[in-house]
Amino acid sequence: MMTPQVITPQQMQQILQQQVLSPQQLQVLLQQQQALMLQQQQLQEFYKKQQEQLHLQLLQQQHAGKQSKEPQVSQQLVFQQQLLQVQQLQQQHLLNLQRQGLLSIQPGQSALPLHSLTQGMIPAELQQLWKEVTNAHVKDENSGNSHGSLDLSSPAASKNPLLNHHASTNGQYMGHSLKRESSALDDHSHSHSHSHSHPHSHSHSHPLYGHGVCKWPGCEAVFDDFQSFLKHLNNEHALDDRSTAQCRVQMQVVQQLELQLAKDKERLQAMMTHLHVKSTEPKPAPQPLNLVSNVTLSKTAPEASPQSLPHTPTTPTTPLTPLSQGPSVITPNNLHSVGPIRRRYSEKYNIPISPDIVQNKEFYMNAEVRPPFTYASLIRQAILESPEKQLTLNEIYNWFTRMFAYFRRNAATWKNAVRHNLSLHKCFVRVENVKGAVWTVDELEFQKRRPQKISGSPALVKNMQTSLGYGPTLSAAFQASMAENNIPLYTTASMGSPTLNSLANVFREEMNGAMEHGNSNGSDSSPGRSPLPAMHHINVKEEPLDPEDHEGPLSLVTTANHSPDFDHNRDYEDDQGNDDMQ
DNA sequence: GGAGGATTAAACAAGG
DNA sequence: ACCTTGTTTAATCCTC
């Protein structure tokens, strides 16, 4: 019954062990998403009101026709623009929620084997979680997928139609709110609804179903009727690693967007305040976003009192490649050509760091997701980030734990890997120092090393695999989704301050390395490289565009202004006690 | 199937 | 004796 050929039990375990979110985390994420949707709704209304109000004011002022007011009027216009932007952001958000694509694996191939494989291994909690996730979706259908493997949702949902009703309690705001939401914001289902003739589409509004298309991230299967869609949903998007991971990715996407939204709202609020516009509403929570981050953060002690690394943490100034070059607008296409141009790292990074995009960094700081970078890249980044471009081994360790939640575990393992890498790669040079020895980076060596690296960043691929449990698919998915976010982010970035952070650098570097290969070799620093190979495989299939989106994440992952909120006092800081893990 | 990179594990040495 | 820091070797996985 098992088809180990696809994933060995070992790998599976790894996946489950380190990559799959803990039930609690998923729980939180789910709730967050739900809350988000509701919030979105409120926001939408709120902004509408605001806009109306503004409009009125504008009209009044224009009426008044006072010369002196003109400047103010123009200001108002800007303001309005801001409002629009926020709205767009929201729209984008919703769109992402619905169509952001993840998979690209052919259902028949890997999906199935996985099902059977996972079946026996998935922890009960996962099942539970999945119930929550799908619960509302599966309205009927025992969908014949009786072979245990695909059931996932069947146990709870399919058997219990009642669940659907109060599904909202869990995370499935499906019903009305969602419906409303989509009709209001989702131009897809909205604007097109009439063009497509789907008899059931309106009666069976399902967030994952629109215009006869499955909106599951990455899927876009077309269906004639709602029933077949449901069937499809149960069969193809059952509870397996992929779905779970996709769900997770989606959550991250949501988080990202939320942060962005929060930022823009803040901006808007500031603008309103400045213009003395009283908001008609209590104003949504200041930081609507971080439901999750807050949780995790609070859990990990938000206070910031760097100890071991007092200096480095506060030097966000990305020592590396400023992303200023970012294509004005990142589109799936131009990404490719423009690609991540390897920039020599210049000391000139006076780029103001917009505190808003710290998201990605935060993501890795809070989520125990294995960063998609090789140890070498990370080590290098750590070193380059330091004021003196040199770090002691311990400082490198600290950087790892500080920057990545993932490295707060299994210290013995990754530390060994770090040491191993330091010794192994010529690009890392050990320099005797007064107080011992420090490690520096031989940039030339580092760059030199890359091209040889085949297959474009196997690390990435692998990391993604292990990290997401579904390899390339997810990595692509994740990046794709990030890329999507990218656009809105860029939007704001353009009006604010574009920046990138260390992670972005690492990412870019990694990409560059990868691309090096993808594009028929080339010497060291040939500009246009093609990104993750992984993505190619996957995305190419469905949308030739996406593959090049990887740049997205880069820009997305911006900024580094960072608050060393992870104080080193934390348990994970004390390496000792943590090695227990394994 | 082989080459080569990355990761992980582990043995071992030197110093504090 | 123990821990940290480094160096090495080896097994394994992965992509080309």
Side-chain angles (χ1 to χ4, degrees):
Chain A
M1 78 179 298
M2 302 251 297
T3 42
Q5 43 175 66
V6 182
I7 290 185
T8 68
Q10 217 179 14
Q11 291 175 306
M12 193 62 212
Q13 197 166 18
Q14 229 188 2
I15 290 166
L16 292 175
Q17 223 168 36
Q18 27 177 240
Q19 310 314 341
V20 176
L21 281 179
S22 70
Q24 296 93 328
Q25 284 175 300
L26 268 176
Q27 185 84 275
V28 173
L29 285 171
L30 283 171
Q31 288 173 352
Q32 182 201 5
Q33 196 158 11
Q34 176 185 22
L36 173 63
M37 294 305 282
L38 291 173
Q39 189 186 314
Q40 287 278 338
Q41 216 179 330
Q42 296 178 327
L43 276 177
Q44 185 64 21
E45 288 168 21
F46 168 67
Y47 287 121
K48 266 185 181 164
K49 283 183 193 169
Q50 288 296 320
Q51 201 168 13
E52 283 172 27
Q53 207 180 45
L54 248 185
H55 195 59
L56 279 179
Q57 288 193 358
L58 197 66
L59 287 178
Q60 288 181 336
Q61 288 188 359
Q62 286 179 331
H63 240 337
K66 292 179 183 176
Q67 294 279 340
S68 55
K69 289 282 181 179
E70 278 195 13
Q72 212 182 338
V73 170
S74 60
Q75 266 190 319
Q76 297 271 1
L77 284 173
V78 175
F79 187 16
Q80 271 203 317
Q81 275 190 319
Q82 174 70 14
L83 275 172
L84 280 175
Q85 192 172 21
V86 172
Q87 288 183 320
Q88 283 180 345
L89 194 66
Q90 293 180 325
Q91 268 190 345
Q92 178 84 29
H93 185 156
L94 288 174
L95 276 179
N96 277 325
L97 288 180
Q98 301 202 332
R99 50 187 285 265
Q100 168 246 351
L102 296 177
L103 82 164
S104 33
I105 284 181
Q106 299 180 5
Q109 294 192 325
S110 29
L112 287 180
L114 243 197
H115 283 312
S116 50
L117 220 181
T118 54
Q119 172 188 13
M121 318 182 77
I122 291 227
E125 312 107 41
L126 253 181
Q127 296 265 0
Q128 259 253 311
L129 275 169
W130 188 252
K131 267 189 249 167
E132 292 167 19
V133 180
T134 48
N135 198 331
H137 302 186
V138 200
K139 295 191 172 174
D140 57 345
E141 283 349 310
N142 6 346
S143 61
N145 44 344
S146 43
H147 29 307
S149 49
L150 311 169
D151 71 316
L152 82 114
S153 47
S154 38
S158 52
K159 288 184 188 173
N160 197 344
L162 290 180
L163 280 177
N164 302 317
H165 299 316
H166 49 285
S168 55
T169 38
N170 264 337
Q172 290 329 326
Y173 34 81
M174 314 274 325
H176 323 302
S177 54
L178 201 288
K179 194 170 180 177
R180 206 164 143 215
E181 188 72 345
S182 57
S183 63
L185 300 173
D186 184 4
D187 56 324
H188 272 331
S189 49
H190 189 47
S191 56
H192 299 83
S193 55
H194 50 353
S195 56
H196 290 260
S197 53
H198 290 299
H200 302 297
S201 60
H202 32 297
S203 51
H204 297 281
S205 97
H206 189 298
L208 287 175
Y209 183 62
H211 334 15
V213 176
C214 174
K215 299 264 187 110
W216 184 277
C219 183
E220 283 186 34
V222 181
F223 300 96
D224 291 335
D225 59 275
F226 192 65
Q227 297 310 314
S228 44
F229 158 71
L230 286 175
K231 207 150 199 166
H232 158 81
L233 188 60
N234 287 326
N235 288 324
E236 301 305 326
H237 307 304
L239 171 57
D240 57 24
D241 287 307
R242 186 185 56 182
S243 297
T244 305
Q246 289 176 322
C247 188
R248 194 167 137 229
V249 169
Q250 183 66 19
M251 288 169 184
Q252 288 306 327
V253 171
V254 171
Q255 211 180 330
Q256 287 278 3
L257 288 167
E258 260 190 292
L259 186 94
Q260 189 58 37
L261 177 61
K263 215 60 208 177
D264 273 277
K265 282 198 296 184
E266 211 177 305
R267 196 173 287 156
L268 173 60
Q269 193 62 41
M271 290 170 77
M272 293 199 289
T273 303
H274 175 66
L275 299 177
H276 304 295
V277 178
K278 320 113 184 140
S279 69
T280 56
E281 205 154 302
K283 185 209 173 185
Q287 332 102 320
L289 183 161
N290 320 309
L291 274 167
V292 165
S293 359
N294 284 338
V295 173
T296 48
L297 269 179
S298 60
K299 231 201 298 196
T300 44
E303 61 164 335
S305 56
Q307 293 192 324
S308 40
L309 296 185
H311 37 323
T312 52
T314 43
T315 55
T317 39
T318 68
L320 276 209
T321 62
L323 179 58
S324 45
Q325 45 125 4
S328 43
V329 180
I330 294 189
T331 68
N333 283 321
N334 72 25
L335 272 178
H336 179 39
S337 46
V338 177
I341 295 168
R342 172 166 304 168
R343 263 59 159 49
R344 176 116 260 101
Y345 104 136
S346 64
E347 262 81 21
K348 303 274 78 158
Y349 36 56
N350 302 319
I351 312 167
I353 287 151
S354 59
D356 50 20
I357 330 188
V358 190
Q359 212 13 42
N360 256 342
K361 167 179 263 174
E362 227 150 74
F363 170 51
Y364 285 113
M365 291 206 304
N366 298 310
E368 264 183 47
V369 174
R370 186 188 183 106
F373 316 114
T374 62
Y375 280 111
S377 296
L378 290 173
I379 293 170
R380 169 174 170 272
Q381 185 57 41
I383 294 173
L384 293 180
E385 238 180 64
S386 70
E388 323 232 334
K389 305 281 181 290
Q390 57 172 48
L391 291 177
T392 63
L393 178 64
N394 196 50
E395 287 171 330
I396 293 174
Y397 287 162
N398 290 334
W399 185 85
F400 271 68
T401 48
R402 187 156 34 88
M403 304 298 286
F404 304 91
Y406 179 82
F407 292 121
R408 280 163 213 157
R409 302 180 147 244
N410 304 318
T413 299
W414 65 261
K415 283 183 178 178
N416 184 22
V418 167
R419 290 195 304 277
H420 169 76
N421 272 267
L422 284 171
S423 296
L424 189 68
H425 300 303
K426 278 175 284 192
C427 58
F428 298 121
V429 183
R430 184 171 175 279
V431 178
E432 286 292 345
N433 205 353
V434 199
K435 55 168 187 177
V438 292
W439 290 92
T440 60
V441 177
D442 181 336
E443 200 60 23
L444 274 179
E445 276 298 324
F446 186 83
Q447 302 298 339
K448 198 157 68 175
R449 180 179 79 87
R450 288 288 232 2
Q452 312 168 9
K453 188 188 307 180
I454 319 85
S455 77
S457 196
L460 248 183
V461 177
K462 185 178 183 183
N463 287 336
M464 290 307 207
Q465 279 183 332
T466 47
S467 89
L468 296 174
Y470 223 84
T473 299
L474 277 180
S475 82
F478 179 73
Q479 310 219 14
S481 55
M482 293 316 226
E484 278 189 54
N485 292 336
N486 186 31
I487 295 173
L489 282 178
Y490 251 93
T491 303
T492 56
S494 61
M495 40 186 302
S497 40
T499 48
L500 58 162
N501 82 17
S502 48
L503 287 186
N505 292 326
V506 180
F507 211 163
R508 191 176 319 101
E509 291 294 327
E510 202 77 35
M511 296 294 210
N512 288 344
M515 300 173 125
E516 202 84 329
H517 258 294
N519 283 350
S520 74
N521 88 39
S523 26
D524 247 31
S525 39
S526 59
R529 300 153 188 216
S530 67
L532 300 177
M535 320 264 267
H536 289 316
H537 303 349
I538 333 163
N539 296 317
V540 169
K541 204 171 18 161
E542 293 199 36
E543 302 188 0
L545 303 182
D546 291 331
E548 314 303 20
D549 279 21
H550 333 2
E551 256 276 280
L554 296 189
S555 32
L556 194 182
V557 183
T558 32
T559 232
N561 182 9
H562 85 245
S563 38
D565 27 349
F566 288 101
D567 65 271
H568 312 300
N569 298 319
R570 315 224 105 297
D571 28 17
Y572 56 77
E573 226 349 295
D574 326 282
D575 322 315
Q576 339 255 69
N578 294 330
D579 298 7
D580 51 65
M581 309 317 294
Q582 68 165 52

